[in-house]
Coordinates of all heavy atoms in Angstrom, one line a residue:
M1 N 93.4 102.6 93.2 CA 93.9 104.0 93.3 C 93.7 104.4 94.7 O 92.6 104.4 95.3 CB 93.1 104.8 92.3 CG 93.4 106.3 92.4 SD 95.1 106.7 91.9 CE 94.9 107.1 90.2
P2 N 94.8 104.9 95.4 CA 94.7 105.3 96.7 C 93.9 106.7 96.8 O 93.8 107.4 95.8 CB 96.2 105.5 97.2 CG 96.9 105.8 95.9 CD 96.2 105.0 94.8
G3 N 93.4 107.0 98.0 CA 92.7 108.2 98.2 C 93.6 109.4 98.3 O 93.1 110.6 98.2
T4 N 94.9 109.2 98.4 CA 95.8 110.3 98.4 C 96.9 110.1 97.4 O 97.4 109.0 97.2 CB 96.5 110.4 99.8 OG1 95.5 110.4 100.8 CG2 97.5 111.6 99.9
K5 N 97.2 111.2 96.7 CA 98.3 111.1 95.6 C 99.4 112.1 96.0 O 99.1 113.3 96.3 CB 97.7 111.4 94.3 CG 98.7 111.3 93.1 CD 97.9 111.6 91.8 CE 98.9 111.6 90.6 NZ 98.2 111.9 89.4
V6 N 100.6 111.7 95.9 CA 101.7 112.5 96.1 C 102.5 112.6 94.8 O 103.0 111.5 94.3 CB 102.6 112.0 97.3 CG1 103.9 112.9 97.5 CG2 101.8 112.0 98.6
T7 N 102.7 113.7 94.3 CA 103.5 113.9 93.1 C 104.7 114.7 93.4 O 104.7 115.7 94.0 CB 102.7 114.7 92.0 OG1 101.4 114.0 91.8 CG2 103.4 114.8 90.7
I8 N 105.9 114.1 93.0 CA 107.2 114.8 93.2 C 107.6 115.5 91.9 O 107.8 114.9 90.9 CB 108.2 113.8 93.7 CG1 107.8 113.0 94.9 CG2 109.6 114.5 93.9 CD1 108.6 111.8 95.2
F9 N 107.6 116.8 92.0 CA 107.9 117.6 90.8 C 109.4 117.8 90.7 O 110.1 118.1 91.7 CB 107.3 119.0 90.8 CG 105.8 118.9 90.6 CD1 104.9 119.0 91.7 CD2 105.3 118.8 89.3 CE1 103.5 118.9 91.4 CE2 103.9 118.7 89.1 CZ 103.0 118.8 90.1
N10 N 110.0 117.5 89.5 CA 111.4 117.8 89.3 C 111.7 119.2 89.6 O 110.9 120.1 89.2 CB 111.8 117.4 87.9 CG 111.8 116.0 87.6 OD1 111.9 115.2 88.5 ND2 111.6 115.6 86.4
N11 N 112.7 119.5 90.3 CA 113.2 120.9 90.7 C 112.1 121.7 91.4 O 112.1 122.9 91.3 CB 113.6 121.6 89.4 CG 114.5 120.8 88.5 OD1 115.4 120.1 89.0 ND2 114.3 120.8 87.2
G12 N 111.2 121.0 92.1 CA 110.2 121.7 92.8 C 109.6 120.9 94.0 O 110.3 120.0 94.5
P13 N 108.4 121.2 94.4 CA 107.8 120.7 95.6 C 107.2 119.3 95.4 O 107.1 118.7 94.3 CB 106.7 121.7 95.9 CG 106.3 122.1 94.6 CD 107.5 122.2 93.7
L14 N 106.7 118.8 96.5 CA 105.8 117.6 96.5 C 104.4 118.2 96.5 O 104.1 119.1 97.3 CB 105.9 116.8 97.8 CG 107.3 116.2 98.2 CD1 107.1 115.6 99.6 CD2 107.7 115.1 97.3
R15 N 103.5 117.6 95.7 CA 102.1 118.0 95.7 C 101.3 116.9 96.3 O 101.4 115.7 95.8 CB 101.6 118.3 94.3 CG 100.1 118.7 94.2 CD 99.7 119.0 92.8 NE 98.3 119.0 92.7 CZ 97.6 120.1 92.8 NH1 98.2 121.3 93.1 NH2 96.3 120.1 92.7
I16 N 100.6 117.2 97.3 CA 99.7 116.2 98.0 C 98.3 116.6 97.7 O 97.9 117.7 97.9 CB 99.9 116.2 99.5 CG1 101.4 115.9 99.8 CG2 99.0 115.1 100.1 CD1 101.7 116.0 101.3
E17 N 97.5 115.6 97.2 CA 96.1 115.9 96.9 C 95.3 114.7 97.2 O 95.8 113.5 97.3 CB 96.0 116.2 95.4 CG 96.5 115.2 94.4 CD 96.5 115.7 93.0 OE1 95.5 116.2 92.5 OE2 97.6 115.6 92.4
G18 N 94.0 114.9 97.5 CA 93.1 113.9 97.8 C 92.7 114.0 99.3 O 92.4 115.1 99.8
D19 N 92.6 112.8 99.9 CA 92.2 112.8 101.3 C 93.4 112.7 102.2 O 94.1 111.6 102.2 CB 91.3 111.5 101.5 CG 90.7 111.5 102.9 OD1 90.7 112.5 103.6 OD2 90.4 110.3 103.3
F20 N 93.8 113.8 102.9 CA 95.0 113.8 103.7 C 94.9 114.7 104.8 O 94.0 115.6 104.8 CB 96.2 114.1 102.8 CG 96.2 115.5 102.3 CD1 96.7 116.6 103.0 CD2 95.6 115.8 101.0 CE1 96.6 117.9 102.5 CE2 95.5 117.1 100.5 CZ 96.1 118.1 101.3
E21 N 95.8 114.6 105.7 CA 95.9 115.5 106.9 C 97.4 115.8 107.1 O 98.2 114.8 106.9 CB 95.3 114.9 108.1 CG 95.4 115.8 109.3 CD 94.8 115.1 110.6 OE1 95.0 113.9 110.8 OE2 94.1 115.8 111.4
I22 N 97.7 117.0 107.4 CA 99.1 117.3 107.7 C 99.2 117.7 109.1 O 98.5 118.6 109.5 CB 99.7 118.4 106.8 CG1 99.6 117.9 105.3 CG2 101.1 118.7 107.1 CD1 100.0 119.0 104.3
V23 N 100.1 117.1 109.9 CA 100.2 117.4 111.3 C 101.7 117.7 111.7 O 102.6 117.3 110.9 CB 99.7 116.2 112.2 CG1 98.3 115.9 111.9 CG2 100.6 115.0 112.0
D24 N 101.8 118.5 112.7 CA 103.2 118.7 113.2 C 103.7 117.5 114.1 O 102.9 116.6 114.2 CB 103.3 120.1 113.9 CG 102.5 120.1 115.2 OD1 102.1 119.0 115.8 OD2 102.3 121.2 115.7
Q25 N 104.9 117.6 114.6 CA 105.4 116.4 115.3 C 104.6 116.2 116.6 O 104.8 115.1 117.2 CB 106.9 116.6 115.6 CG 107.3 117.6 116.6 CD 108.8 117.5 116.9 OE1 109.6 117.0 116.1 NE2 109.1 118.1 118.1
E26 N 103.8 117.1 117.1 CA 103.0 116.9 118.2 C 101.6 116.4 117.9 O 100.8 116.1 118.8 CB 102.8 118.2 119.0 CG 104.1 119.0 119.3 CD 105.0 118.2 120.2 OE1 104.5 117.4 121.1 OE2 106.2 118.3 120.0
G27 N 101.4 116.2 116.6 CA 100.1 115.6 116.1 C 99.1 116.7 115.9 O 97.9 116.3 115.5
K28 N 99.4 118.0 116.0 CA 98.4 119.0 115.8 C 98.3 119.3 114.3 O 99.3 119.5 113.6 CB 98.9 120.3 116.5 CG 97.9 121.5 116.3 CD 98.4 122.7 117.1 CE 97.4 123.8 116.8 NZ 97.9 125.1 117.3
A29 N 97.0 119.3 113.8 CA 96.8 119.4 112.4 C 96.9 120.9 111.9 O 96.5 121.8 112.6 CB 95.4 118.9 112.1
F30 N 97.5 121.0 110.8 CA 97.5 122.3 110.1 C 96.1 122.6 109.6 O 95.4 121.7 109.0 CB 98.5 122.3 108.9 CG 99.9 122.4 109.2 CD1 100.6 121.3 109.6 CD2 100.6 123.6 109.2 CE1 102.0 121.3 109.9 CE2 101.9 123.7 109.5 CZ 102.6 122.6 109.9
G31 N 95.6 123.8 109.7 CA 94.4 124.2 109.1 C 94.7 124.6 107.6 O 95.5 125.4 107.3
L32 N 94.1 123.9 106.7 CA 94.4 124.0 105.3 C 93.4 124.9 104.6 O 93.4 125.0 103.3 CB 94.5 122.7 104.6 CG 95.6 121.8 105.2 CD1 95.6 120.4 104.6 CD2 97.0 122.4 105.2
G33 N 92.5 125.5 105.3 CA 91.5 126.5 104.6 C 90.7 125.8 103.6 O 90.3 126.5 102.6
G34 N 90.4 124.5 103.7 CA 89.5 123.9 102.8 C 90.3 123.4 101.5 O 89.6 122.8 100.6
R35 N 91.6 123.5 101.5 CA 92.3 123.0 100.3 C 92.3 121.5 100.2 O 92.3 120.8 101.3 CB 93.8 123.5 100.4 CG 94.0 125.0 100.2 CD 95.4 125.4 100.5 NE 95.7 126.8 100.2 CZ 95.3 127.7 101.1 NH1 94.7 127.5 102.2 NH2 95.5 129.0 100.8
T36 N 92.2 121.0 99.0 CA 92.3 119.6 98.8 C 93.6 119.2 98.2 O 93.8 118.0 97.9 CB 91.1 119.1 97.9 OG1 91.2 119.8 96.7 CG2 89.8 119.3 98.6
A37 N 94.5 120.2 98.0 CA 95.8 119.9 97.5 C 96.8 121.0 98.1 O 96.4 122.1 98.2 CB 95.9 120.0 96.0
V38 N 98.0 120.6 98.4 CA 99.0 121.5 98.9 C 100.3 121.1 98.3 O 100.5 119.9 97.9 CB 99.1 121.6 100.4 CG1 97.8 122.2 101.0 CG2 99.5 120.3 101.0
A39 N 101.3 122.0 98.2 CA 102.6 121.7 97.8 C 103.6 121.9 99.0 O 103.5 122.9 99.7 CB 103.0 122.7 96.7
I40 N 104.4 120.9 99.2 CA 105.3 120.8 100.3 C 106.7 121.1 99.8 O 107.1 120.4 98.8 CB 105.3 119.4 101.0 CG1 103.9 119.1 101.5 CG2 106.3 119.4 102.2 CD1 103.3 120.0 102.6
C41 N 107.4 122.0 100.4 CA 108.7 122.4 100.0 C 109.7 121.3 100.1 O 109.8 120.5 101.1 CB 109.2 123.6 100.9 SG 110.9 124.1 100.6
R42 N 110.5 121.1 99.1 CA 111.6 120.1 99.1 C 113.0 120.9 99.1 O 114.0 120.2 99.4 CB 111.6 119.2 97.9 CG 110.6 118.2 97.9 CD 110.9 117.1 96.9 NE 111.1 117.5 95.6 CZ 112.1 117.0 94.8 NH1 112.9 116.1 95.2 NH2 112.2 117.4 93.5
C43 N 113.0 122.2 98.8 CA 114.3 122.8 98.6 C 114.8 123.4 99.9 O 116.0 123.7 100.0 CB 114.1 124.0 97.6 SG 113.3 125.5 98.2
G44 N 114.0 123.6 100.9 CA 114.4 124.1 102.2 C 114.5 125.6 102.3 O 115.0 126.1 103.3
H45 N 114.0 126.3 101.3 CA 114.2 127.8 101.2 C 112.8 128.5 101.4 O 112.8 129.7 101.3 CB 114.9 128.2 100.0 CG 116.3 127.8 99.9 ND1 117.3 128.3 100.6 CD2 116.9 126.8 99.1 CE1 118.4 127.7 100.3 NE2 118.2 126.8 99.4
S46 N 111.7 127.8 101.5 CA 110.4 128.5 101.6 C 110.3 129.3 102.9 O 110.7 128.9 103.9 CB 109.3 127.4 101.6 OG 108.1 128.1 101.8
S47 N 109.7 130.5 102.7 CA 109.4 131.3 103.9 C 108.1 130.9 104.5 O 107.7 131.5 105.6 CB 109.3 132.8 103.5 OG 110.5 133.3 103.0
N48 N 107.4 130.0 103.9 CA 106.1 129.5 104.5 C 106.2 128.0 104.7 O 105.3 127.2 104.5 CB 105.0 129.8 103.5 CG 103.7 129.5 104.0 OD1 103.4 129.7 105.2 ND2 102.7 129.2 103.2
S49 N 107.4 127.5 105.2 CA 107.6 126.1 105.5 C 106.6 125.5 106.4 O 106.2 126.2 107.3 CB 109.0 125.9 106.1 OG 109.3 124.6 106.3
P50 N 106.1 124.4 106.2 CA 106.6 123.4 105.2 C 106.0 123.5 103.8 O 106.2 122.6 103.0 CB 106.2 122.0 105.9 CG 104.8 122.4 106.5 CD 105.0 123.8 107.0
F51 N 105.3 124.6 103.6 CA 104.6 124.7 102.3 C 105.5 125.4 101.3 O 106.3 126.3 101.7 CB 103.3 125.4 102.4 CG 102.4 124.7 103.4 CD1 102.3 125.2 104.7 CD2 101.7 123.6 103.1 CE1 101.5 124.6 105.6 CE2 100.9 122.9 104.0 CZ 100.8 123.4 105.3
C52 N 105.4 125.1 100.0 CA 106.2 125.7 99.0 C 105.6 127.1 98.7 O 104.4 127.3 98.7 CB 106.1 124.9 97.7 SG 106.8 125.6 96.2
D53 N 106.6 128.1 98.6 CA 106.1 129.5 98.2 C 106.7 129.9 96.9 O 106.7 131.1 96.6 CB 106.5 130.5 99.3 CG 108.0 130.6 99.5 OD1 108.8 130.0 98.8 OD2 108.4 131.5 100.4
G54 N 107.3 129.0 96.2 CA 107.9 129.3 94.9 C 109.3 129.7 94.9 O 109.9 129.9 93.8
T55 N 109.9 129.8 96.1 CA 111.3 130.2 96.2 C 112.3 129.3 95.5 O 113.3 129.7 95.0 CB 111.7 130.4 97.7 OG1 110.8 131.3 98.3 CG2 113.1 130.9 97.8
H56 N 111.9 128.0 95.3 CA 112.8 127.1 94.7 C 113.2 127.5 93.3 O 114.3 127.2 92.9 CB 112.1 125.7 94.6 CG 110.8 125.7 93.8 ND1 109.6 125.9 94.4 CD2 110.6 125.5 92.5 CE1 108.7 125.8 93.4 NE2 109.3 125.6 92.3
K57 N 112.4 128.3 92.6 CA 112.7 128.8 91.3 C 113.9 129.8 91.4 O 114.8 129.7 90.6 CB 111.5 129.5 90.6 CG 110.4 128.5 90.3 CD 109.2 129.2 89.8 CE 108.0 128.3 89.8 NZ 106.7 129.0 89.6
R58 N 113.8 130.7 92.3 CA 114.9 131.7 92.5 C 116.2 131.1 93.0 O 117.3 131.6 92.8 CB 114.4 132.8 93.4 CG 113.3 133.7 92.8 CD 113.1 134.9 93.7 NE 112.7 134.7 95.1 CZ 111.4 134.3 95.4 NH1 110.5 134.2 94.5 NH2 111.1 134.1 96.7
Q59 N 116.0 130.0 93.7 CA 117.2 129.3 94.3 C 117.8 128.3 93.3 O 118.8 127.7 93.6 CB 116.8 128.6 95.6 CG 116.4 129.5 96.7 CD 117.6 130.3 97.3 OE1 118.7 129.8 97.3 NE2 117.3 131.5 97.8
N60 N 117.2 128.2 92.1 CA 117.6 127.2 91.1 C 117.8 125.8 91.7 O 118.7 125.1 91.4 CB 119.0 127.7 90.5 CG 118.8 129.0 89.7 OD1 117.8 129.1 89.0 ND2 119.7 129.9 89.9
F61 N 116.8 125.5 92.5 CA 116.8 124.1 93.1 C 116.7 123.1 92.0 O 115.9 123.2 91.1 CB 115.6 124.0 94.1 CG 115.4 122.6 94.6 CD1 116.3 122.1 95.5 CD2 114.2 121.9 94.3 CE1 116.1 120.8 96.0 CE2 114.0 120.7 94.9 CZ 114.9 120.1 95.7
T62 N 117.6 122.1 92.1 CA 117.5 121.0 91.1 C 117.4 119.7 91.8 O 118.2 119.4 92.8 CB 118.8 121.0 90.2 OG1 119.9 120.9 91.0 CG2 118.8 122.2 89.4
S63 N 116.5 118.9 91.4 CA 116.3 117.5 91.9 C 115.4 116.8 91.0 O 114.2 117.1 90.9 CB 115.7 117.5 93.4 OG 115.5 116.2 93.7
T64 N 115.9 115.9 90.3 CA 115.1 115.1 89.3 C 114.9 113.7 89.9 O 115.8 113.1 90.4 CB 115.9 114.9 88.0 OG1 116.2 116.2 87.5 CG2 115.1 114.2 87.0
V65 N 113.6 113.4 89.9 CA 113.2 112.1 90.6 C 112.5 111.3 89.6 O 111.6 111.7 88.9 CB 112.3 112.4 91.8 CG1 111.8 111.1 92.4 CG2 113.1 113.2 92.8
T66 N 112.8 110.0 89.5 CA 112.1 109.0 88.7 C 111.6 107.9 89.6 O 112.3 107.4 90.5 CB 113.1 108.4 87.7 OG1 113.7 109.5 86.9 CG2 112.4 107.4 86.8
A67 N 110.4 107.5 89.4 CA 109.8 106.5 90.2 C 110.6 105.2 90.1 O 111.1 104.8 89.1 CB 108.3 106.2 89.8
R68 N 110.7 104.5 91.2 CA 111.4 103.2 91.3 C 110.9 102.4 92.4 O 110.1 102.9 93.3 CB 112.9 103.5 91.5 CG 113.2 104.2 92.8 CD 114.7 104.7 92.9 NE 115.0 105.3 94.1 CZ 114.7 106.6 94.4 NH1 114.1 107.4 93.5 NH2 115.1 107.1 95.5
D69 N 111.3 101.1 92.5 CA 110.8 100.2 93.5 C 111.9 100.3 94.6 O 113.1 100.2 94.4 CB 110.7 98.8 93.0 CG 109.5 98.7 92.0 OD1 108.6 99.4 92.2 OD2 109.7 97.9 91.1
L70 N 111.4 100.3 95.9 CA 112.3 100.3 97.0 C 112.5 98.8 97.4 O 111.6 98.0 97.2 CB 111.7 101.1 98.2 CG 111.5 102.5 98.0 CD1 110.9 103.2 99.2 CD2 112.9 103.2 97.7
P71 N 113.6 98.5 98.0 CA 113.8 97.1 98.5 C 112.8 96.9 99.7 O 112.3 97.9 100.3 CB 115.3 97.1 99.0 CG 115.6 98.5 99.3 CD 114.8 99.4 98.3
A72 N 112.6 95.7 100.0 CA 111.8 95.3 101.2 C 112.4 95.9 102.4 O 113.6 96.0 102.6 CB 111.6 93.8 101.3
P73 N 111.6 96.3 103.4 CA 112.1 96.9 104.7 C 112.9 95.8 105.4 O 112.6 94.6 105.3 CB 110.9 97.3 105.4 CG 109.7 96.6 104.8 CD 110.1 96.3 103.4
A74 N 113.9 96.3 106.2 CA 114.6 95.3 107.0 C 113.7 94.7 108.1 O 112.9 95.4 108.6 CB 115.8 96.1 107.7
K75 N 114.0 93.4 108.3 CA 113.2 92.8 109.4 C 113.7 93.1 110.7 O 114.9 93.3 110.9 CB 113.2 91.3 109.1 CG 112.6 90.8 107.9 CD 112.6 89.4 107.6 CE 111.9 89.1 106.3 NZ 111.9 87.7 105.9
P76 N 112.8 93.3 111.7 CA 113.2 93.7 113.0 C 114.0 92.6 113.7 O 114.0 91.5 113.4 CB 111.9 94.0 113.8 CG 110.8 93.4 113.0 CD 111.4 93.2 111.6
Ligands
LIG1 S1 110.2 123.6 96.9 FE1 109.1 125.4 96.5 S2 109.9 126.8 97.9 FE2 111.0 125.0 98.3

């Protein structure tokens, strides 16, 4: 079992929990206020991006995801 778990909710956000850090593209870490779980927006409508603020419900965001195996990465 990995130390970090990412759950993709149908019609909603990604939930990250466990041992993780979220950084911007410059590598600066977000202060998470001691949270051990956060929800990351998938709908693109959050006013608190990259975090989910629940707006996906009002936007009727739909995205159903089922776990699957990815193909092996392309060789360089
Ligand atoms: S997924 Fe919740 S606001 Fe975008």
Side-chain angles (χ1 to χ4, degrees):
M1 177 63 96
T4 305
K5 181 178 179 182
V6 178
T7 304
I8 305 170
F9 288 99
N10 289 335
N11 312 320
L14 301 174
R15 178 180 168 89
I16 304 173
E17 58 191 305
D19 184 21
F20 64 89
E21 178 182 41
I22 301 176
V23 301
D24 65 17
Q25 70 174 22
E26 307 302 325
K28 183 179 176 190
F30 284 83
L32 300 178
R35 290 171 178 78
T36 58
V38 295
I40 302 295
C41 177
R42 286 200 306 138
C43 75
H45 294 287
S46 175
S47 296
N48 191 30
S49 180
F51 304 102
C52 173
D53 67 357
T55 301
H56 60 271
K57 295 173 190 165
R58 291 189 300 279
Q59 294 291 329
N60 295 317
F61 174 65
T62 58
S63 173
T64 302
V65 177
T66 302
R68 60 189 182 278
D69 295 328
L70 297 178
K75 295 182 179 174

